[in-house]
Amino acid sequence: MTMFMRRSDGCVARFGAGEAAVLQDVILEVVSLLSDGFDRADPVIDRLFPDLYRDDPEVSAELRRYTDEDLRSAKLEQAALLLDGLPVGGGEVRLDDEQSEGWLRALTDARLALGLRLNITDETDLEVEIDEAVLRDPTSARVGHLSVYAYLTYLQESLVGALLDEGKGRRRDEFPTRS
């Protein structure tokens, strides 16, 4: 499985062709969701664009009028950044800190969208959920979707870890030596 590691020039991961294809498909689904009609009645859109004033729908609607398009454009740009940097047939990804943050935001959007569709909450034990789905029907679409969600979670956690691991993870020969 792909895992980001901190290197002197940023965060690096190697993607297999299958991993890259799955990630590409998921991000393209988010792009489609943000592009096609942008249905505010869709619970995923509501989760990706939450009301700042839930107790005051009029103020929230007015604020959305001014912010939704910018936020949607930013989310599409982050998805494009991820897609542009993803080696379609597999290969290495090198991200500087700014690119890493864009990838994290795109992965967060993908996880929020998929998690909502799968009814995953903060209380959900993902391993138990996957095990139960496998017991019910190991070939079900739910097993596949839960596995993709678990992969996105792992990928996101590894990227966060790499960003926080500044200086660690470098090979010894990458550190400057005293003469």
Side-chain angles (χ1 to χ4, degrees), residues 33 36-52 54 60-61 63-65 67-69 71:
L33 182 68
D36 298 341
F38 193 69
D39 183 6
R40 263 282 179 188
D42 185 330
V44 172
I45 294 294
D46 189 47
R47 181 67 176 101
L48 292 175
F49 298 84
D51 285 335
L52 293 177
R54 291 205 181 266
S60 287
L63 186 59
R64 275 196 313 268
R65 204 169 65 117
T67 60
D68 269 5
E69 192 54 42
L71 185 55

Side-chain angles (χ1 to χ4, degrees), residues 1-2 15-30 82-83 86-90 103 106-107 110-111 114 143-153 155:
M1 253 191 165
T2 300
F15 286 80
E19 292 172 320
V22 166
L23 186 52
Q24 180 183 30
D25 287 348
V26 170
I27 298 300
L28 287 173
E29 285 290 323
V30 172
L82 190 151
L83 290 170
L86 190 64
V88 178
W103 271 56
L107 289 169
R111 284 187 64 243
L114 185 55
V143 171
H145 292 139
L146 287 167
S147 298
V148 169
Y149 183 85
Y151 172 66
L152 294 173
T153 301
L155 188 61

Side-chain angles (χ1 to χ4, degrees), residues 4 7 80 99 103 110 113-116 131 135 153 165:
F4 278 95
R7 299 287 184 247
Q99 292 168 320
W103 271 56
L114 185 55
L116 190 63
D131 289 344
L135 287 174
T153 301
D165 199 22

Side-chain angles (χ1 to χ4, degrees), residues 110-130:
R111 284 187 64 243
L112 284 173
L114 185 55
L116 190 63
R117 296 280 194 238
L118 294 169
N119 294 314
I120 293 176
T121 67
D122 291 339
E123 291 78 38
T124 301
D125 183 328
L126 193 55
E127 286 184 40
V128 169
E129 193 72 24
I130 291 171

